Amino acid sequence: MQAQAYTDSVTQQRDALPEIYGEVDFTVVPERLDSEATLNDERFAATRTAVSRVFDRPELLETMRNATMTGDRIADAYAALIPTHGFRTLVEMLEAACQRGVDNVENAPQELVDLIAAMEATPAWVDMTLVAQGARAERIPMATATPLAIRGAFLATFLNKYAALPMTMTGTLSDEAAAKRVFETASFFTATTMPGALDRSGKGFEAAAKVRLMHSMVRYHILNSGKWDVATYGIPIPQADQMPAGLIGVFLMSAQLLKKGQTDFTPEQRASVELSRYRCFLLGLPENLLGETPQEIVDLLMARHVSLREGYDDETCGALVRGTMEADLFDTSSLTGRLHAWLENGFSKFVLIKSFLGGDTERAASIGITMGQSEKVAAGVAVGSLAIKTAFYRVGLRLPVVSGRVDARLNRRLAELLELYGHADFVTDADRYKLS
């Protein structure tokens, strides 16, 4: 008798939400799950030591296998109401529930009540005092590095065809759509660091709810399109693919600490980790995908790396990379705008190549990311500028005489960036999908 491929919580999605998962065969192990991966595979050459820990703990790979076939049952149930309510109405009711309370939403469906209740039920494993401290500290990189690095970090999500395909199917290939998604991503993470943003009535809480619903709407539309191959790609936007977006910063930090022989976070680093964990909780990720220590975080993300079959094709990945690179993110009509665009172009490429391509400039060039002399100079200038700005905020916030003014200036800078990023709709319109 063949062993069950997934836990009951995975297979039960079909019975619980037939409107979305009714046609999904949960006996299939999709091609994207690299079940033949071994420690000696060439793709692990640069990460052999970290990968060996994953193979020594098969339960990690089992966790990733389940996470690859798991959506978001609570938000998915609300998204499944699209035929009766329409996606715009669902978004409007969610906004109202976040801003005024679900009790004040006329004829609120039980699925909306359940979604809001789940997000309000902060689990015991989240320390909200640390979350607030983490948000306060994270304001600095959000105000300094994020505007220059966000495109590079966003591009990293397009390097694997199995994970990137939903982006191509939802019509994110044009320059305009790519710019919108980059700015929505920057807006979400920036908004969650503003004072009080992650309180129940805060804008960060609402943004998380809308992102969560957007992901579920994508699953609903794609799985009902008849154009999605579960046997190849698994579930669209599964839990496994939401992990990097929420944890990549703390993963890179954790990897650096372990490289230096450090096994614990500093108090400030621990607060940043808790902020990331809470954001991930709001987006629907369970505790077993959210490590607490540097080693746990690295092991979980490496398990995801091991389980995800390597695959890059130009039609999917290349089109997304080109669309994102060609998008005009900033106004270049002024000298200041042109300078910022120059710095951003160089630094975002630097971030992508160094942090996500292991410094492999040849591989970067093969996918259309080139670092010429101008980009190298821009990256160097950006690094120096960011170091100065970061030091200014860090030191200023510690000086009693000026800390209040520096704090206010930092908040103003974040508000200016949110205005620059524009209004984030966090919606997905099936009329614009490219279901070919």
Side-chain angles (χ1 to χ4, degrees):
M1 183 176 177
Q2 184 179 0
Q4 184 171 306
Y6 311 102
T7 62
D8 289 343
S9 63
V10 177
T11 59
Q12 287 168 359
Q13 291 176 110
R14 182 171 182 171
D15 294 330
L17 293 167
E19 306 92 334
I20 298 180
Y21 299 101
E23 299 303 317
V24 175
D25 183 355
F26 284 105
T27 67
V28 168
V29 176
E31 180 184 306
R32 69 163 274 168
L33 270 169
D34 193 353
S35 55
E36 295 85 29
T38 69
L39 180 59
N40 296 320
D41 288 356
E42 184 180 350
R43 70 185 180 104
F44 303 138
T47 56
R48 197 88 65 197
T49 301
V51 168
S52 67
R53 286 183 55 86
V54 174
F55 283 105
D56 287 341
R57 297 181 58 196
E59 72 275 9
L60 288 176
L61 291 175
E62 181 181 355
T63 295
M64 288 304 124
R65 184 170 68 249
N66 288 314
T68 298
M69 294 294 284
T70 302
D72 179 349
R73 185 177 298 189
I74 296 174
D76 288 347
Y78 185 50
L81 300 178
I82 287 175
T84 55
H85 290 77
F87 87 93
R88 283 287 177 188
T89 298
L90 293 183
V91 172
E92 289 168 1
M93 286 196 295
L94 181 65
E95 290 174 339
C98 289
Q99 295 166 13
R100 305 195 303 270
V102 72
D103 292 340
N104 295 311
V105 177
E106 187 177 357
N107 298 319
Q110 185 61 44
E111 291 83 355
L112 175 59
V113 175
D114 293 342
L115 174 57
I116 295 298
M119 294 183 65
E120 290 175 341
T122 304
W125 49 266
V126 171
D127 185 329
M128 291 304 293
T129 300
L130 279 180
V131 170
Q133 293 173 7
R136 181 175 173 80
E138 283 292 301
R139 291 180 305 164
I140 296 177
M142 287 298 164
T144 57
T146 295
L148 297 180
I150 189 63
R151 190 190 321 234
F154 198 74
L155 283 169
T157 65
F158 302 152
L159 300 180
N160 185 283
K161 68 178 183 180
Y162 298 102
L165 186 59
M167 295 295 283
T168 66
M169 296 183 73
T170 52
T172 314
L173 296 180
S174 70
D175 295 359
E176 180 184 354
K180 186 175 187 296
R181 289 305 184 212
V182 170
F183 279 151
E184 282 189 339
T185 302
S187 179
F188 169 69
F189 286 103
T190 301
T192 59
T193 64
M194 292 289 283
L198 288 174
D199 293 345
R200 167 60 187 84
S201 58
K203 287 295 184 182
F205 183 98
E206 180 182 340
K210 292 171 72 175
V211 170
R212 190 167 176 178
L213 175 58
M214 178 178 67
H215 290 162
S216 289
M217 285 181 167
V218 169
R219 287 188 211 99
Y220 172 84
H221 287 303
I222 290 182
L223 286 175
N224 278 285
S225 70
K227 305 294 185 180
W228 181 264
D229 183 2
V230 172
T232 300
Y233 298 101
I235 296 298
I237 319 182
Q239 289 180 347
D241 287 354
Q242 295 182 60
M243 292 172 63
L247 299 170
I248 193 60
V250 296
F251 166 75
L252 294 173
M253 177 176 69
S254 298
Q256 284 297 314
L257 289 175
L258 293 175
K259 190 175 181 180
K260 297 175 183 177
Q262 299 171 235
T263 57
D264 295 306
F265 295 115
T266 66
E268 183 175 328
Q269 290 169 339
R270 182 70 189 86
S272 292
V273 170
E274 198 68 358
L275 169 64
S276 295
R277 281 159 52 88
Y278 181 58
R279 277 193 300 229
C280 287
F281 157 73
L282 291 178
L283 293 173
L285 291 183
E287 182 184 7
N288 70 334
L289 297 181
L290 309 173
E292 284 191 89
T293 67
Q295 193 67 70
E296 288 174 352
I297 291 169
V298 168
D299 286 352
L300 281 164
L301 269 294
M302 291 307 297
R304 190 256 182 188
H305 172 58
V306 169
S307 68
L308 180 61
R309 188 180 300 277
E310 199 169 56
Y312 183 96
D313 69 55
D314 191 68
E315 184 178 355
T316 298
C317 306
L320 287 167
V321 168
R322 286 189 293 273
T324 305
M325 286 305 302
E326 292 167 4
D328 293 324
L329 299 183
F330 304 102
D331 181 7
T332 57
S333 60
S334 67
L335 178 61
T336 301
R338 288 192 294 274
L339 175 62
H340 183 87
W342 176 65
L343 292 173
E344 187 272 335
N345 182 54
F347 189 70
S348 62
K349 289 181 177 180
F350 168 75
V351 168
L352 176 69
I353 294 171
K354 182 178 185 295
S355 298
F356 302 104
L357 294 176
D360 190 340
T361 54
E362 289 186 6
R363 184 185 173 196
S366 72
I367 62 175
I369 307 295
T370 57
M371 278 290 283
Q373 190 60 36
S374 177
E375 286 91 348
K376 291 178 181 177
V377 172
V381 173
V383 169
S385 173
L386 292 176
I388 293 171
K389 291 178 180 179
T390 299
F392 168 78
Y393 285 121
R394 285 188 177 278
V395 173
L397 289 173
R398 292 190 176 102
L399 297 177
V401 178
V402 298
S403 62
R405 280 181 289 175
V406 173
D407 185 80
R409 176 172 173 172
L410 181 54
N411 287 335
R412 283 197 303 273
R413 175 56 179 159
L414 291 174
E416 290 169 359
L417 286 172
L418 287 172
E419 185 175 349
L420 172 67
Y421 298 148
H423 176 71
D425 293 318
F426 302 118
V427 298
T428 177
D429 186 351
D431 291 338
R432 302 181 64 180
Y433 282 19
K434 313 297 182 185
L435 301 174
S436 59

